[in-house]
Amino acid sequence: MNVLTPRTRAEIEWQRDRYPQARSAVLPSLWAVQHQLGYLSPEGMAEVAELLRLTPSEVEAVASFYSMYFDHPGGRHHVLVCINVSCALRGAEEIVSHLERRLGCPSGGTTEDGAFTWEQTVECLGACGGAPAMQVDHHFQENLTPERVDAILDGVRGAPAGEGPQARPHSSRGSSAPRAS
Amino acid sequence: MAEYKLLTKDFGMDGIQSLAVYERSGGYEGLRKALGTMTPDELVEEVKTSGIRGRGGAGFPTGLKWSFLPKGVHPRYLCVNADESEPGCFKDRALIDENPHQLIEGTLIAAYAIQAPIAFIYIRGEYHDQRLLLERCVEEARAAGYIGQGILGSDFSCDIIIHGGAGAYICGEETALIDSLEGFRGQPRLKPPFPAVKGLYGKPTVVNNVETLSNLPHIVIRGGAWFASVGAEKSTGTRLFCCSGHINRPGTYEMQLGTPIRELLEDECRGIWKGHSLKAFQPGGGSMQVLLPEHLDLPLEMDAVQKAGSALGAGAMVFMDETTCMVDVSMRLVDFYQHESCGKCAPCREGTYFESDLMHRLEAGVLTPAELSTLTDICDNMNGKCFCPLGDTATWFVMSAYQAFRGEFEEHCGAGGCPVKQRNAQLVSA
């Protein structure tokens, strides 16, 4: 009994066939599984293994190396807050404590209503020019203040799972654009 | 001296992410010229003449790197390193967001130079929207005949595959990137053999940074000699500097190499914020040693900054004002390396753990002076003794900060909290 939909399986097969070696498709395949299931279940990984002609343990060994794959289900929306140096210098701690209060759970936790899973990360998100910054459902949100965080979360809450609004697809000077002084 | 806009000249242009607008701005003329008028060997020579050095951090001459490929061994592969994850660095993201076709054109030019039938753009997982943008652009370029069989009527064929990572700083190291691209845990490989000889799928492989490749259309159009006339003698061209921290105008600024750091800080970043003063800065991202206000007159030039005991690295400038606790900054960077250590070699895996534990207790003010003195030992047992540069660089900032701000480190011992933060709080309440 497959847990992956025909669409996800087709995506994995397409990925597999476009690389010189099928194994190269492991990461893109795991993304496809996570996109469908919200996390990497053992059954989902076993299907990746079957489609790529690997063993389940080979796929699990790869999955566990990368920090963006989830090994358990989370909230409908994912919030990732950068606490590395550039964000820390401009108030990341205030954003983190605000999220803790507002969402009522510590970093790594999920809200009671299942709307949000949030975590802080020491991995620099690459938004230092717009620090402090976070990502909501993979989209950058920069120049945060507690008020802006509230507005962003309110806007996301009702959106379909994993599809928070995109902040600014292309600003006048791109990511981390300089602000007026 | 103001910004020198070469790679960023079309930043902010309406619709530049579309092929039509990019073409109207002269886009893909570099590829057309390379394919139509230059042999691959001539192209490699032109890039050597330009003197361009890699923009990913190590600063290795690009043309020379290409020429290491063994003659007559095929297929060869090109990997574009868009795994930008260095703390403080966001220039490659800007180059993708603001001019994705420039990167794709540069990628195709490099692929032609080394005769690669496939180029892989390995982009970090966090750059989700940037990956989707590149995928759209590749499809657009393919439909227009810039990617695929017999590009622009030549006998050169090349495909581009956008490959998303999934959260691992180490995959920016070229052999770890190759491991990850092959579908393994991203752990570095022993060198030699270097990727040029035995890389992706065991074949000769070149790994180049996003910014390096974004320069190529300009080098082809305007010539290597012209490019070499821009910037400094051994640091030719421009670089995108990612400026962040306690400054009035954070952002990416393209500067001619050789410009004094002070001009970047004062003219582009508009100085330190809130009327505060500069305490320290990092000139090359999280991996590089701390520099002090006395270093502001150094030129933005790779060798000069290296002589001062640091490096331009990936071009990330993090400025810190006088309220900054250097122990706190060191702790955050050490935490980063501890989190990102791939676990392959013991000095890095264990060393970053010891460093992190020690720095947390120091910042909390519960470390003894005797324990603090072991920091040097820990770092000595890592620096130069790790499998790859991640473990070495995990010691560089903290050691340089410990040397430059020894009193501040010692003051934390047994203080029962962070003395710098306590002073800041008093200043605010006074």
Side-chain angles (χ1 to χ4, degrees), chain A residues 19 23-24 31 61 64 66-68 83 86 89-90 93 123-124 126 135 139 142 172-175 178-179 181, chain B residues 12 93 98 124 126 129 163 165-167 180-181 183-186 201 244-247 249-250 252 270 332 340:
Chain A
Y19 287 94
R23 184 167 178 142
S24 280
W31 276 121
S64 65
Y66 297 92
S67 63
M68 293 181 75
I83 59 162
S86 298
L89 292 174
R90 295 183 79 104
E93 251 171 52
E123 259 200 86
C124 175
Q135 285 195 327
H139 303 310
E142 303 184 359
S172 62
R173 262 205 62 168
S175 44
R179 279 161 282 164
S181 51
Chain B
R93 181 183 151 205
E98 287 292 327
R124 69 181 296 201
E126 289 84 352
D129 292 334
H163 187 92
S180 179
L181 189 47
F184 292 89
R185 298 163 74 89
Y201 310 125
S244 66
H246 294 152
I247 47 178
R249 211 173 65 132
T252 48
R270 308 277 166 85
R332 285 172 192 273
E340 296 305 318

Side-chain angles (χ1 to χ4, degrees), chain A residues 63-166:
Chain A
S64 65
F65 185 80
Y66 297 92
S67 63
M68 293 181 75
Y69 295 130
F70 305 135
D71 60 2
H72 59 276
R76 291 190 297 280
H77 303 287
H78 187 250
V79 178
L80 189 62
V81 187
C82 178
I83 59 162
N84 208 308
V85 173
S86 298
C87 283
L89 292 174
R90 295 183 79 104
E93 251 171 52
E94 190 189 4
I95 302 303
V96 163
S97 48
H98 181 73
L99 278 165
E100 253 165 5
R101 273 199 309 275
R102 163 85 200 240
L103 299 178
C105 57
S107 171
T110 300
T111 53
E112 270 178 22
D113 63 359
F116 295 101
T117 293
W118 81 279
E119 59 182 317
Q120 56 180 37
T121 179
V122 292
E123 259 200 86
C124 175
L125 291 180
C128 322
M134 64 180 184
Q135 285 195 327
V136 179
D137 295 340
H138 295 307
H139 303 310
F140 280 103
Q141 302 286 352
E142 303 184 359
N143 302 316
L144 299 175
T145 59
E147 297 73 37
R148 259 184 62 70
V149 169
D150 284 344
I152 292 162
L153 295 187
D154 288 342
V156 171
R157 192 174 284 274
E163 288 179 19
Q166 208 168 327

Side-chain angles (χ1 to χ4, degrees), chain B residues 72-137:
Chain B
V73 184
H74 294 274
R76 298 156 162 188
Y77 294 111
L78 174 67
C79 296
V80 182
N81 191 341
D83 193 53
E84 174 171 74
S85 316
E86 182 72 24
C89 203
F90 48 97
K91 68 183 174 68
D92 294 342
R93 181 183 151 205
L95 283 165
I96 294 167
D97 268 337
E98 287 292 327
N99 204 340
H101 280 290
Q102 178 176 255
L103 170 61
I104 291 170
E105 184 181 2
T107 300
L108 290 164
I109 291 171
Y112 175 64
I114 67 166
Q115 291 290 292
I118 308 179
F120 299 88
I121 300 182
Y122 187 105
I123 182 165
R124 69 181 296 201
E126 289 84 352
Y127 288 178
H128 173 263
D129 292 334
Q130 288 71 24
R131 177 171 62 77
L132 297 182
L133 174 63
L134 281 175
E135 281 172 0
R136 281 199 302 277
C137 292

